[in-house]
């Protein structure tokens, strides 16, 4: 070690161990260094007993995984680069050629797109079921059904399904259930303990939403309570190379301690705005599972028992049929605090108009005629958001 650059790279100084601060230390690695060949040969990437390669975990990802599993009441967790890749990891892991997957008709759109695309190219069929009718799900289950996706509520039309009954029907037939739990975030209900001794087998979450809370990170989690199922998913996770970046892990670890406070704040503002919308003449229907009269309200009440009944900061409205698309677009364009953009869970309020005809195989009877507009309520003062909605409605829709 005579040359300076070599001495620099192999510098012998090691900082004392035992450093503690409020934030978890962030470790970055592709390469993990082993002390000897025996250690290199014997370490098992599948368990948290040691480290083998950055893709298979670092102290930072292990800590985040454990905290997220605790949040959702699970036992194991995998991190993936986005919420959608968590969905893909589950479907690609559990389904093979000849199998069928059942997906709720109001599911997060790209979950359906994956089934229509890659899954169908690979000989895996799918059916979209009516989430509000457990008999419809049961009627579609066959010997080929290997996986049932669940979502509560649907993230655009906000219907809350009878989650307990849907899980019971799948359990009775021995079919694996996977829940997209992005809305509940582990804070509105416990996906593995829904009541009556029932729970889902897998819960995925887009950490992009509430766990991140910033609108600036993409990540997903796949949580289980069964070690065998976890190891099956982990194998696919490894083969697909679904690594996450340490900077993103840091951002989520930093945001997690405030997740409950943020969730409650989003919830309170969204409910206040949803109730305000119910009073407006321009609006035919307000879709928010915590509002009596909203589709599936009683199921929300039965399932979302944590903290006296919580909900995410999302709701949709259906503008009256008399408004054409141009007027609805003008309403969205007239908003100033609500920005046009996808996703939710961040500090900025968002709005998106949806074309339901392109999203649903059947327009459900519980939705009135008109155009659906979804709001993600941010952390701005609710009075300002209310004023923004009022001025946009007045400017774009109220004829005078
Ligand atoms: C956003 C979202 C996803 C996907 O998350 P990404 O990180 O954007 O891929 C999945 N499911 C639901 C319900 C979502 O809202």
């Amino acid at each position: 070690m005579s040359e300076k650059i070599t001495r620099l790279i192999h510098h012998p100084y090691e900082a004392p161990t035992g450093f503690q601060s409020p934030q978890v230390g962030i470790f970055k690695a592709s390469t993990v260094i082993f002390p000897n060949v025996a250690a290199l040969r014997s370490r098992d990437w599948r368990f948290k007993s040691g480290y083998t390669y950055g893709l298979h975990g670092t102290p930072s990802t292990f800590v985040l995984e454990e905290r997220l599993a605790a949040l959702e009441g699970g036992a194991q967790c995998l991190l993936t680069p986005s919420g959608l890749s968590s969905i893909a990891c589950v479907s690609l892991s559990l389904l093979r050629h000849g199998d069928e997957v059942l997906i709720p008709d109001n599911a997060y759109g790209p979950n359906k797109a994956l089934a229509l695309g890659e899954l169908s190219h690979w000989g895996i069929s799918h059916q979209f079921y009516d989430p509000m009718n457990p008999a419809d799900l049961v009627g579609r289950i066959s010997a080929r059904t290997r996986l049932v996706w669940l979502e509560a509520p649907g993230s655009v039309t906000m219907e809350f399904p009878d989650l307990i009954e849907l899980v019971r029907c799948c359990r009775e037939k021995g079919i694996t259930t996977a829940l997209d739990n992005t809305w509940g975030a582990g804070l509105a209900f416990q996906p593995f303990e829904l009541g009556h001794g029932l729970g889902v087998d897998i819960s995925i979450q887009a950490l992009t939403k509430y766990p991140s809370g910033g609108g600036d990170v993409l990540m997903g989690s796949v949580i289980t309570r069964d070690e065998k199922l976890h190891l099956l998913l982990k194998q696919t996770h490894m083969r697909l190379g679904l690594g996450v970046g340490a900077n993103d892990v840091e951002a989520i670890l930093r945001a997690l301690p405030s997740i409950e406070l943020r969730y409650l704040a989003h919830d309170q503002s969204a409910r206040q705005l949803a109730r305000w919308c119910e009073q407006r003449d321009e609006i035919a229907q307000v879709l928010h599972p915590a509002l009596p009269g909203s589709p599936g309200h009683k199921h929300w009440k039965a399932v979302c028992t944590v903290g006296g009944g919580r909900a995410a900061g999302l709701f949709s409205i259906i503008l009256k049929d008399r408004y054409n698309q141009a007027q609805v677009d003008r309403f969205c364009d007239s908003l100033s605090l609500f920005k046009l953009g996808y996703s939710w869970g961040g500090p900025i309020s968002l709005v998106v108009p949806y074309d339901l005809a392109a999203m649903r195989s059947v327009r459900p009877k519980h939705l009135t005629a008109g155009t659906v507009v979804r709001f993600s309520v941010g952390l701005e003062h609710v009075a300002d958001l209310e004023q923004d909605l009022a001025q946009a409605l007045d400017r774009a829709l109220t004829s005078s």
Side-chain angles (χ1 to χ4, degrees):
M1 278 220 280
S2 56
E3 295 300 328
K4 192 152 138 189
I5 188 64
T6 307
R7 290 204 308 275
L8 178 70
I9 294 169
H10 292 268
H11 198 289
Y13 176 77
E14 282 184 38
T17 56
F19 176 78
Q20 283 199 313
S21 72
Q23 201 45 28
V24 177
I26 295 302
F27 294 82
K28 298 188 169 190
S30 48
T31 300
V32 166
I33 295 174
F34 298 88
N36 52 51
V37 175
L40 185 141
R41 289 214 178 107
S42 67
R43 267 187 216 165
D44 191 334
W45 60 270
R46 294 176 303 162
F47 303 102
K48 284 190 168 72
S49 49
Y51 307 99
T52 51
Y53 190 61
L55 204 50
H56 308 148
T58 65
S60 319
T61 61
F62 285 0
V63 170
L64 181 55
E65 285 167 0
E66 292 298 310
R67 291 186 182 187
L68 290 168
L71 177 66
E72 293 200 53
Q76 308 89 13
C77 173
L78 296 167
L79 300 174
T80 74
S82 65
L84 180 54
S85 61
S86 285
I87 291 171
C89 182
V90 170
S91 284
L92 298 182
S93 183
L94 300 183
L95 299 167
R96 10 205 107 187
H97 191 273
D99 289 347
E100 183 159 275
V101 58
L102 303 181
I103 301 173
D105 201 30
N106 62 353
Y108 174 67
N111 190 348
K112 295 169 84 174
L114 179 69
L116 287 158
E118 280 68 16
L119 296 187
S120 112
H121 300 164
W122 298 336
I124 297 156
S125 62
H126 64 268
Q127 290 190 56
F128 301 135
Y129 68 89
D130 176 359
M132 302 308 281
N133 181 5
D136 184 72
L137 171 69
V138 171
R140 292 175 193 276
I141 290 175
S142 74
R144 294 198 297 117
T145 313
R146 188 78 52 225
L147 173 66
V148 171
W149 276 100
L150 304 159
E151 198 172 317
S155 59
V156 172
T157 41
M158 311 302 297
E159 304 96 341
F160 208 100
D162 187 349
L163 202 51
I164 296 170
E165 179 60 13
L166 292 176
V167 169
R168 198 191 58 75
C169 295
C170 296
R171 178 70 56 86
E172 203 173 86
K173 309 237 176 205
I175 296 164
T176 304
T177 50
L179 169 74
D180 183 335
N181 194 28
T182 304
W183 181 94
L187 294 164
F189 61 93
Q190 292 290 303
F192 298 96
E193 282 164 37
L194 294 168
H196 306 278
L198 292 163
V200 300
D201 297 307
I202 301 165
S203 174
I204 76 97
Q205 202 185 139
L207 305 176
T208 307
K209 310 291 165 57
Y210 291 111
S212 148
D216 56 352
V217 177
L218 287 156
M219 204 180 291
S221 58
V222 181
I223 293 178
T224 45
R225 256 192 184 182
D226 179 88
E227 175 89 1
K228 250 179 76 185
L229 182 58
H230 167 71
L231 288 175
L232 186 70
L233 294 161
K234 191 169 172 73
Q235 196 149 48
T236 301
H237 178 268
M238 187 273 274
R239 288 175 185 150
L240 293 176
L242 300 176
V244 296
N247 288 340
D248 292 341
V249 169
E250 176 181 33
I252 302 221
L253 279 169
R254 194 174 160 92
L256 268 188
S258 64
I259 189 172
E260 188 169 48
L261 291 174
R262 290 185 281 107
Y263 195 88
L264 294 176
H266 288 289
D267 182 5
Q268 194 178 359
S269 295
R271 282 194 219 199
Q272 190 172 325
L273 294 175
R275 283 195 207 100
W276 181 85
C277 284
E278 284 187 319
Q279 309 306 317
R280 292 290 302 209
D281 174 61
E282 299 89 341
I283 298 168
Q285 199 175 6
V286 179
L287 303 166
H288 184 306
L291 295 190
S294 203
H297 171 69
K298 67 171 188 229
H299 305 311
W300 168 80
K301 222 168 163 169
V303 168
C304 296
T305 52
V306 178
R310 294 171 174 177
L314 277 182
F315 71 98
S316 294
I317 58 171
I318 300 184
L319 287 163
K320 281 192 176 158
D321 208 15
R322 63 172 182 256
Y323 302 116
N324 60 32
Q325 191 63 53
Q327 287 173 297
V328 174
D329 292 356
R330 188 142 53 94
F331 162 69
C332 295
D333 282 335
S334 300
L335 290 161
S336 77
L337 296 177
F338 285 88
K339 302 297 181 190
L340 281 160
Y342 294 105
S343 198
W344 31 286
I348 292 185
S349 292
L350 299 169
V351 61
V352 179
Y354 283 95
D355 174 14
L356 212 57
M359 299 166 61
R360 303 287 288 263
S361 39
V362 190
R363 185 174 179 117
K365 288 191 191 64
H366 58 252
L367 300 179
T368 57
T371 305
V372 177
V373 175
R374 188 187 73 183
F375 301 103
S376 155
V377 178
L379 295 172
E380 301 94 336
H381 198 288
V382 68
D384 291 326
L385 295 175
E386 191 178 294
Q387 205 168 49
D388 195 25
L389 289 175
Q391 67 77 23
L393 286 170
D394 289 344
R395 188 187 307 187
L397 303 182
T398 308
S399 41
S400 53

